[in-house]
């Protein structure tokens, strides 16, 4: 039982960066913008967060710096794709390329540096519960932040007027524009929110999860976060569950190996990706369902008055 | 047809911009390289040496250790040598281009530090008979190309001794990269070392399928800790495993370079690679014109590997045991893989009377008794 | 405040000027960076822009490096023009490498005596079929289940990568290779015929150039090609054009997957000579940028590939010549690509100064 509780705990921790970045990307995809630069933004944020943590010794400052770095890169990306109407896929990939080069360059002096240790307190009282305490209540605050964020974004998107506007823009920017909404500004705001959250996720990796900086350390998690938004059919709660599922599959595969069960690591590693394809197929089979969920203008350029 | 024009201009523009800029800067400042130096006729030109790295020098692990070695050798030899490096070279077609270019640039000795550079190096070596080629962890040699490799499993054995003494659960954990002989040797040596002080020890292994993926290394470490392993060793390049152990209040080791600073409570010692010793020798061989082809396998005895920074809280008997084995290796009286070596299915892999030759070591593809599970064969 | 106004017709002048401006921005940014690092900016820029063209061998290496990019980018240009968003060319490339590599492995181990010139078309076929089959999975899932091709193709990259890894760690591993993850070195008769003696440039490059011409003809000189670009998978528009959206999905993905597969097969039978886990240096992803930098035009793809390869090679040269860290080359490339994409905006839009917003 305790082993299972530990597995659950590890799964929550592993799923958290995916969830935070995924929620961010979900917001900007809901507004109709697809950002393939997630990996690059996370890397820049990871290095910014680590540098700040190293300089100040404060985890909060480090996460904030990561958020800010993600927001800045996202703003540049947003300006390019929303105002200059560059292609979202190519620009996103270029941002990824730039981000990995830039973070590696900036981080040259930070390799082999160590952050101050911080104790993870967990939730008072609840942390001492048998089994449940181990499984759920001894996590870093960011883990709970991810859950709160999910609830918050779900509420915002589906229960507030602004959320409705955001979704309307993702659905049809032309009609939203006709109704007098500042489509491009709202899109930019959504992209910046996406970058900010990717930034928090990146900084979480380098400051809390692994804590270290080395170039390329995000190692594809930005791409997984991108896959998650589809996996979740752009619903925050599903995204959170999806992130835990991804984290869980990874942890389970390592867990099985540690138990001495022989698995070809390649096939085990394939599972999350195949699972995404399967889920994609399942949700996409019903045209109505996918249309209800998928932002119709995703990836398309909008130019007011054109 | 209209779309063709601008593209032509793109190329032209590239050239114009580039030549314009170079022309400007050249006018401003005559290139120092072309100016003859009449002042120092007596001094021979420094030996140009180049290093080809697979990772970034900032990986804090494998490539970092090579680069430390390069700097150390360069510092020792002073102005007799001039070293350069190219980092993050992909194994495959890029490597051949990089190595060839370095050879044409007048480098007289070139080190390629990853197994995957071997075939590229073989091809280039054929075309540059007067350049010396050195390939780390490889096995193909020729008239002007040789190989070198550290016996790193020796230090994994040292780590095993300390781990066997420190474990309370009698369970060790190993985070592996790929199931190749080099890594399997380390797992086996680690386990044998631990069993030498604690026969009840068993080792659990998790493969991450990468040399370098810090978050995944963290996750693998976590999985092992969850399964009751309380001392971890890794054959991956980052400090992640050590830091995961620190967080969990368990133990682990540094790998490739000194990682003691990363985990003051968890660190039980660092298995370090000291490439500088070999690099200095190789450069001297070229300087003295005594360079000969061959295969160098150096270990603790030659100073190419070491196990350092055992903390004070490790019991004295374990430290003494490490010192004994170190002395034995130095004197050449101690064998890590001593017959009979039995794998974890009960099969005898090294019979009485046989010695673990380099060939045997290079073919290790099994777990010794005490390691849980089966080697992933991919089949 | 600058506002953009759409132009009635794309600006000729700007399509010439935009890459010049982009290069100037990059060169200026680069010069500033290099100066900040204490390097001579002129020398540094010449390493990036001139050194890769210095001599026959350098040019042949540049062409060799560009070949896979050209092939992949061509297919992607067709996809993107038809509104099919295949971003998983990397996976199709890897499957092509597996197809071509498998063929070469079979010829090698079965010791089949055939000339290089006979093997050449066979390896093209093997690569094309494997790559097209992988892209075909994307097409099938899109066609039958409406599964988003961006994400399916991307996920299949990881699957292909792990599949390759499994092959070279397992069944295809060189039995004499000390258990290292690679196949045997392929027999000499599986090597692509070389263009110049002593250099690595092979006739696959010529195939890539021919493919570019054929693609140009197909895109702009055939009815089907034009229909594809009008319709793509948008059912309504396609119906007007008299072309089925299903056919658009299948055609573009199969062509693109096939070309990526050929690129993979060339890489294995050309400069590699064996199959290892490191067949691709990210060609499939780089080619996406190439396609856009080349404005989704076949000839643009060629130029875009050369520019990208120039930067990749320049990044290596900058390390050995002037000791710049490799990370800097990444920054430099990123700046170039972003400014190229940004400046292309000027072709279709006119910047206007205006007061207020």
């Amino acid at each position: 039982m305790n082993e299972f509780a530990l597995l659950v705990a590890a799964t929550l921790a592993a799923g958290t960066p995916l969830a935070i970045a995924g929620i961010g990307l979900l917001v900007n995809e809901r507004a109709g913008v697809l950002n393939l630069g997630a990996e690059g933004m996370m890397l820049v944020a990871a290095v910014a967060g680590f540098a700040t943590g190293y300089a100040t010794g404060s985890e909060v400052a480090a996460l904030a710096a990561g958020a800010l770095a993600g927001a800045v890169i996202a703003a540049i990306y947003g300006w390019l794709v929303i105002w200059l109407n560059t292609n979202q896929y190519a620009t996103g990939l270029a941002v990824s390329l730039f981000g990995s080069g830039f973070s590696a360059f900036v981080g040259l002096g930070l390799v082999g540096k160590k952050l101050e240790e911080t104790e993870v307190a967990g939730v008072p009282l609840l942390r001492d519960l048998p089994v449940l305490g181990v499984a759920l209540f001894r996590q870093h605050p960011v883990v709970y932040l991810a859950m709160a964020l999910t609830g918050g974004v779900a509420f915002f998107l589906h229960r507030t007027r602004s959320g409705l506007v955001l979704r309307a823009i993702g659905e049809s920017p032309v009609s939203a524009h006709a109704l007098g909404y500042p489509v491009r500004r709202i899109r930019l705001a959504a992209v910046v929110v996406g970058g900010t959250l990717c930034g928090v996720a990146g900084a979480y990796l380098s400051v809390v999860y692994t804590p270290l900086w080395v170039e390329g350390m995000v190692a594809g998690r930005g791409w997984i976060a991108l896959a998650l938004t589809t996996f979740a059919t752009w619903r925050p709660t599903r995204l959170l569950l999806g992130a835990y599922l991804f984290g869980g599959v990874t942890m389970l595969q390592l867990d099985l190996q540690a138990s001495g069960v022989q698995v070809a690591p390649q096939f085990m590693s394939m599972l999350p990706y195949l699972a995404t394809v399967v889920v994609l197929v399942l949700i996409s089979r019903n045209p109505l369902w996918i249309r209800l969920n998928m932002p119709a203008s995703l990836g398309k350029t909008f130019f007011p008055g054109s | 047809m209209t779309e063709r024009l601008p593209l032509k201009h793109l190329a032209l523009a590239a050239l114009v911009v580039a030549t314009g800029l170079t022309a400007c800067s050249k006018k401003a400042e005559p290139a120092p390289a072309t100016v003859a130096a009449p002042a120092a006729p007596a001094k021979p030109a420094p030996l140009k040496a180049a290093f080809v790295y697979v990772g970034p020098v900032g990986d804090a692990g494998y490539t970092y250790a090579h680069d430390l070695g390069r700097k150390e050798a360069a510092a020792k030899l002073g102005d007799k040598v001039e070293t350069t490096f190219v980092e993050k070279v992909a194994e495959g077609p890029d490597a051949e281009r990089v190595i060839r270019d370095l050879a044409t640039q007048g480098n007289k000795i070139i080190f390629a530090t990853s197994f995957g550079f071997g075939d590229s190096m073989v091809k280039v070596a054929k075309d540059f008979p007067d350049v010396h080629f050195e390939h780390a962890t490889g096995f193909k040699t020729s008239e002007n190309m040789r190989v070198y490799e550290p016996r790193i499993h020796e230090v994994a054995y040292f780590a095993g001794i300390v781990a066997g003494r420190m474990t309370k659960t009698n369970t060790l954990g190993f985070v592996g990269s790929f199931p190749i002989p080099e890594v399997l040797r380390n797992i086996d040596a680690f386990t044998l070392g631990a069993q030498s002080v604690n026969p009840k020890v068993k080792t659990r292994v998790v493969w991450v399928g990468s040399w370098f993926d810090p978050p995944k290394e963290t996750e693998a470490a976590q999985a092992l800790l969850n399964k009751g392993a309380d001392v971890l060793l890794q054959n991956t390049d980052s400090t992640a495993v050590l830091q995961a152990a620190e967080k969990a209040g368990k133990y682990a080791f540094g790998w490739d370079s000194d990682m003691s600073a990363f985990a003051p409570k968890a660190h039980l010692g660092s298995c370090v690679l000291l490439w500088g010793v070999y690099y200095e020798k190789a450069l001297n061989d070229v300087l003295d014109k005594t360079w000969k082809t061959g295969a160098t396998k150096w270990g603790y005895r030659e100073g190419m590997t070491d196990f350092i920074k055992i903390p004070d809280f490790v019991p004295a008997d374990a430290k003494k045991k490490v010192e004994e084995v170190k002395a034995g290796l130095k004197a050449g009286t101690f064998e890590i893989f001593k017959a009979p070596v039995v794998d974890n299915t009960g099969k005898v892999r090294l019979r009485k009377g046989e010695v673990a030759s380099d060939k045997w070591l290079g073919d290790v593809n099994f777990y010794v008794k005490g390691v849980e599970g089966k080697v992933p064969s991919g089949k | 405040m600058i506002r953009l106004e759409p132009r009635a017709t794309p600006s000729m002048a700007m399509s010439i000027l935009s890459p010049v401006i982009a290069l100037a921005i990059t060169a200026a940014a680069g010069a500033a960076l290099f100066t900040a690092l204490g390097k001579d900016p002129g020398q540094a820029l010449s390493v990036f822009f001139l050194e890769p063209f210095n001599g026959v061998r350098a040019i042949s290496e540049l062409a060799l490096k560009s070949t896979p990019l050209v092939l992949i980018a061509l297919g992607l240009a067709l996809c993107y023009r038809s509104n099919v968003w295949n971003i998983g060319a990397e996976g199709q490339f890897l499957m092509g490498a597996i197809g071509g590599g498998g063929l070469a492995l079979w010829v090698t181990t079965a010791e089949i005596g055939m000339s290089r010139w006979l093997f050449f078309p066979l390896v093209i076929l093997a690569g094309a079929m494997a790559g097209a089959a992988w892209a075909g999975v994307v097409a099938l899932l899109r066609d039958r289940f409406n599964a988003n091709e961006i994400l399916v193709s991307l996920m299949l990259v990881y699957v292909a990568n792990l599949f390759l890894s499994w092959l070279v760690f397992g069944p295809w591993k060189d039995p004499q290779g000390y258990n290292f993850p690679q196949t045997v070195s392929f027999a000499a008769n599986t090597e692509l015929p070389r263009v110049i003696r002593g250099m690595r440039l092979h006739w696959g490059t010529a195939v890539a150039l021919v493919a570019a011409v054929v693609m140009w003809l197909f895109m702009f000189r055939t009815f089907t090609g034009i229909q594809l670009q009008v319709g793509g998978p948008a059912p309504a528009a396609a119906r007007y054009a008299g072309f089925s959206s299903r056919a658009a999905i299948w055609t573009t993905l199969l062509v693109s997957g096939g070309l990526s597969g050929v690129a993979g097969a060339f890489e294995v039978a050309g400069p590699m000579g064996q199959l290892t886990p490191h067949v691709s240096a990210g060609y499939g992803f780089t080619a996406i940028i190439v396609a856009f930098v080349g404005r989704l035009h076949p000839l643009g793809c060629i130029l875009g590939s050369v520019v990208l390869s120039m930067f990749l090679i320049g990044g290596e040269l900058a390390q050995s010549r002037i000791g710049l860290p490799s990370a800097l080359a990444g920054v430099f490339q990123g700046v170039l690509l972003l400014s190229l994409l940004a400046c292309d905006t000027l072709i279709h839009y006119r910047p206007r100064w205006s007061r207020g917003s």
Side-chain angles (χ1 to χ4, degrees):
Chain A
M1 204 55 202
N2 202 42
E3 269 191 16
F4 180 71
L6 286 167
L7 182 61
V8 172
T11 296
L12 292 184
T16 292
L18 303 177
I20 296 177
I23 292 282
L25 294 169
L26 181 144
V27 171
N28 73 233
E29 286 173 27
R30 273 292 186 180
V33 182
L34 183 69
N35 189 349
L36 295 183
E39 182 86 3
M41 298 194 297
M42 286 176 76
L43 277 166
V44 174
V47 77
F50 189 88
T52 310
Y54 183 67
T56 64
S58 155
E59 226 173 61
V60 176
L63 291 169
L68 183 68
V72 170
I73 304 279
I76 297 172
Y77 167 81
W79 178 66
L80 285 169
V81 300
I82 299 168
W83 263 271
L84 299 188
N85 303 318
T86 61
N87 178 277
Q88 294 184 9
Y89 309 111
T91 312
L93 285 165
V95 165
S96 263
L97 208 80
F98 171 78
S100 65
F102 184 72
S103 60
F105 180 60
V106 174
L108 282 176
L110 293 168
V111 175
K113 297 280 189 290
K114 184 181 172 289
L115 295 180
E116 295 288 323
E117 291 287 325
T118 44
E119 279 297 315
V120 173
V123 185
L125 299 177
L126 293 177
R127 60 167 283 133
D128 299 320
L129 288 175
V131 185
L132 277 183
V134 174
L136 304 176
F137 298 115
R138 293 187 189 174
Q139 303 280 356
H140 190 272
V142 171
V143 173
Y144 307 114
L145 174 77
M147 298 176 188
L149 193 69
T150 308
V153 169
F155 181 81
F156 168 77
L157 282 177
H158 300 284
R159 294 279 181 276
T160 67
R161 212 186 132 64
S162 317
L164 183 70
V165 173
L166 183 82
R167 286 189 293 139
I169 285 171
E171 216 43 55
S172 167
V174 179
S175 340
H177 180 70
L179 290 172
Y181 292 110
V183 171
R184 294 192 298 183
R185 284 188 202 171
I186 294 175
R187 278 194 159 180
L188 182 68
V191 167
V192 170
V193 167
T196 307
L197 293 182
C198 282
V200 173
Y204 171 80
L205 281 175
S206 68
V207 176
V208 179
Y209 194 57
T210 315
L212 58 87
W213 164 256
V214 268
E215 67 172 281
M217 65 169 292
V218 173
R221 278 160 192 77
W223 292 102
I224 297 179
L226 274 165
L228 271 173
T229 58
T230 315
F231 181 91
T233 53
W234 295 272
R235 296 294 176 96
T237 36
R238 286 184 203 152
L239 188 132
L240 185 70
L241 296 176
Y244 292 148
L245 183 69
F246 260 74
V249 170
T250 310
M251 285 313 300
L252 182 68
Q253 150 198 349
L254 299 169
D255 198 76
L256 281 175
Q257 286 196 50
S259 312
V261 178
Q262 194 219 2
V263 281
Q266 292 92 2
F267 286 113
M268 283 296 278
S269 305
M270 270 182 205
L271 281 178
Y273 304 109
L274 289 175
T276 304
V277 172
V278 170
V279 169
L280 258 172
V281 166
L282 290 178
I283 60 162
S284 310
R285 289 178 72 165
N286 183 340
L288 183 69
W289 195 7
I290 191 83
R291 207 168 303 139
L292 279 178
N293 287 296
M294 186 167 176
S297 76
L298 188 59
K300 296 189 185 108
T301 304
F302 166 74
F303 188 81
S306 64
Chain B
M1 285 310 285
T2 51
E3 292 192 63
R4 194 182 253 176
L5 242 174
L7 296 160
K8 236 187 244 163
H9 283 256
L10 189 146
L12 259 179
L15 281 173
V16 169
V17 171
T19 39
L21 278 161
T22 35
C24 291
S25 68
K26 267 185 187 144
K27 247 174 269 159
E29 185 188 341
T34 55
V35 179
K43 213 167 176 187
L47 168 67
K48 284 182 77 179
F51 292 72
V52 184
Y53 299 142
V54 69
V57 290
D59 68 359
Y62 184 77
T63 294
Y64 178 71
H66 276 287
D67 203 48
L68 279 184
R70 174 186 69 88
K71 285 185 194 152
E72 194 189 298
K76 285 232 175 95
L77 294 169
D79 53 9
K80 282 194 281 185
V81 295
E82 186 187 311
T83 63
T84 51
F85 67 85
V86 182
E87 61 181 332
K88 266 169 59 183
V89 176
E91 297 176 339
D94 288 348
E96 187 180 334
R97 182 180 57 247
V98 171
I99 297 170
R100 186 177 295 278
D101 176 65
L102 289 170
T104 53
Q105 287 297 302
N107 290 291
K108 286 297 158 220
I109 179 163
I110 299 173
F111 298 89
T113 63
S114 180
F115 175 80
F117 293 151
D119 291 326
S120 307
M121 191 165 235
V122 168
K123 286 179 202 157
V124 181
K126 253 183 251 164
D127 297 343
F128 293 87
D130 60 333
V131 176
H132 309 282
F133 293 88
E134 302 257 4
H135 181 211
T137 72
F139 60 93
K140 291 181 184 168
T141 60
S142 67
E143 201 52 29
N144 61 332
M145 173 169 166
R146 67 184 186 186
V147 293
Y148 60 104
E149 184 177 342
R151 294 173 181 273
I152 188 137
H153 62 275
E154 292 174 358
V155 275
Y157 189 88
F158 296 139
I161 295 173
V162 176
R165 187 67 180 75
M166 295 300 289
T167 178
K168 293 190 189 78
T169 57
N170 291 331
T171 307
L172 311 183
F174 194 101
V175 177
S177 47
F178 297 102
I180 58 174
E182 179 191 332
V183 180
L184 294 168
R185 270 198 315 269
N186 293 332
I187 295 172
D188 290 343
F190 181 57
T191 308
L192 290 173
Q195 285 169 347
S196 75
V197 296
N198 179 353
K200 281 181 295 198
V201 154
K202 53 186 196 296
T203 305
R204 294 179 184 274
V205 182
V206 170
W207 298 100
V208 291
S210 164
W211 291 107
F212 185 76
D213 183 342
K216 194 157 183 198
E217 292 167 41
T218 304
E219 286 157 9
Q222 194 57 52
L224 288 163
L225 294 167
N226 289 355
K227 289 284 167 201
D230 60 353
V231 187
L232 308 180
L233 180 63
Q234 70 281 3
N235 205 149
T236 48
D237 290 348
S238 82
T239 54
V241 173
L242 183 58
Q243 287 177 268
E246 174 94 356
K247 226 189 218 168
K250 299 294 190 310
Y251 297 118
F253 298 91
W255 188 255
D256 285 342
S257 54
D258 176 6
M259 296 180 176
S260 55
F262 285 89
K265 294 195 293 279
H267 181 264
L268 292 180
S270 274
C271 305
V272 294
L273 291 177
L274 304 164
W275 299 96
V277 192
Y278 181 78
Y279 290 146
E280 191 189 341
K281 176 200 182 280
L283 292 169
N284 269 324
D285 284 352
V286 179
L287 287 168
D288 309 341
K289 304 199 161 49
T290 54
W291 195 98
K292 273 205 297 287
T293 188
T296 304
K297 301 210 169 165
W298 278 2
Y300 176 73
R301 176 148 71 148
E302 294 82 3
M304 199 164 173
T305 63
D306 202 354
F307 184 66
I308 57 167
K309 301 259 176 92
I310 307 176
D312 291 337
F313 59 79
V314 171
D317 57 336
K319 283 187 188 159
K320 192 165 152 256
K321 177 89 182 166
V322 170
E323 288 312 316
E324 276 169 29
V325 175
K326 279 188 174 180
L329 284 172
K330 203 141 233 172
T333 54
F334 187 85
E335 285 282 341
I336 286 172
F337 289 100
K338 205 167 82 191
V341 174
V342 183
D343 73 14
N344 67 353
T345 63
K347 195 169 153 198
V348 179
R349 295 294 187 143
L350 194 67
R351 267 167 238 295
K352 269 239 160 14
E354 288 177 327
V355 269
S357 62
D358 286 343
K359 167 89 179 74
W360 185 87
L361 287 169
D363 286 338
V364 167
N365 63 351
F366 58 88
Y367 289 148
V368 292
K369 198 163 160 256
V371 184
E372 307 264 298
K374 274 168 76 178
V375 176
S377 63
K379 279 182 186 155
Chain C
M1 174 113 192
I2 306 174
R3 292 175 65 89
L4 289 177
E5 278 178 9
R7 297 177 193 272
T9 52
S11 157
M12 242 338 257
M14 272 305 156
S15 43
I16 299 166
L17 270 177
S18 120
V20 180
I21 300 170
L23 279 167
I25 292 173
T26 313
L33 256 173
F34 299 140
T35 313
L37 286 170
K39 306 283 177 193
D40 173 2
Q43 192 194 5
L45 288 172
S46 81
V47 167
F48 275 96
F49 287 101
L50 298 181
E51 200 86 338
F53 296 95
N54 186 10
V56 178
R57 180 177 290 279
I59 291 172
S60 79
E61 284 292 328
L62 191 66
L64 180 75
K65 182 92 185 164
S66 309
T67 301
L69 291 175
V70 173
L71 282 165
I72 303 169
L74 283 174
L76 292 179
L78 179 71
C79 278
Y80 299 162
R81 274 177 182 259
S82 317
N83 255 322
V84 174
W85 297 100
N86 173 15
I87 62 168
E90 178 83 359
Q92 295 139 26
F93 174 94
L94 291 172
M95 291 314 271
I98 291 171
L103 181 71
L105 187 63
W106 176 67
V107 170
T108 303
T109 46
E111 293 178 33
I112 292 164
M114 62 164 78
S115 81
R116 284 182 186 186
W117 286 102
L118 181 59
F119 183 79
F120 191 37
L122 290 179
V123 80
I124 293 178
L125 198 66
M129 277 166 50
W134 205 239
V137 175
V138 181
L140 179 74
L141 296 183
R142 172 71 212 264
D143 182 21
R144 289 292 304 276
F145 305 113
N146 192 34
N148 181 301
E149 75 273 15
I150 301 170
L151 289 144
V152 173
S153 62
L154 182 62
M155 292 302 113
L156 290 183
V157 173
Y158 293 97
V159 177
N161 212 336
L162 290 160
F163 180 60
L164 168 66
S165 169
W166 173 74
L167 281 175
V168 293
F169 272 98
W172 285 8
K173 190 169 57 187
D174 176 3
Q176 260 82 56
Y178 289 80
N179 215 8
F180 275 98
Q182 57 183 32
T183 63
V184 295
S185 292
F186 299 142
N189 62 342
T190 68
E191 211 171 75
L192 297 185
R194 307 285 175 104
V195 180
I196 308 165
R197 246 180 86 92
M199 293 192 195
R200 299 198 290 167
L201 188 65
H202 53 72
W203 283 102
T205 308
V207 173
L209 294 176
V210 171
V213 175
V214 173
M215 186 60 82
W216 183 82
L217 289 171
F218 177 70
M219 275 181 181
F220 306 115
R221 290 288 179 273
T222 68
F223 190 53
T224 318
I226 291 161
Q227 271 180 329
L228 266 177
Q229 297 172 53
V230 175
R239 218 173 297 130
Y240 287 121
F243 197 75
S244 124
S245 66
R246 299 184 56 195
I249 291 165
W250 280 101
T251 315
T252 56
L253 277 168
L254 291 182
V255 167
S256 156
L259 284 169
S260 304
V262 172
F266 279 170
E267 210 56 13
V268 176
M272 303 254 332
Q274 68 180 160
L275 199 54
T276 77
H278 315 283
V279 182
S280 174
Y283 290 122
F285 290 116
T286 311
I288 297 176
I289 304 177
V290 167
F292 280 99
V293 166
R295 296 175 192 162
L296 306 185
H297 189 287
L299 302 176
C301 290
I302 296 177
L303 275 178
S305 303
V306 171
V307 170
L308 257 286
S309 308
M310 180 183 90
F311 267 83
L312 295 170
I313 294 178
E316 296 163 6
L317 300 177
Q319 294 181 57
S320 60
R321 302 286 192 285
I322 46 179
L324 285 173
S326 79
L328 195 67
V331 178
F332 204 33
Q333 277 167 34
V335 171
L336 174 79
L337 295 171
L338 290 174
S339 38
L340 267 174
L341 292 167
C343 290
D344 269 9
T345 304
L346 297 172
I347 301 170
H348 298 281
Y349 299 91
R350 188 196 317 274
R352 268 283 168 86
W353 293 96
S354 70
R355 288 182 192 284
S357 63

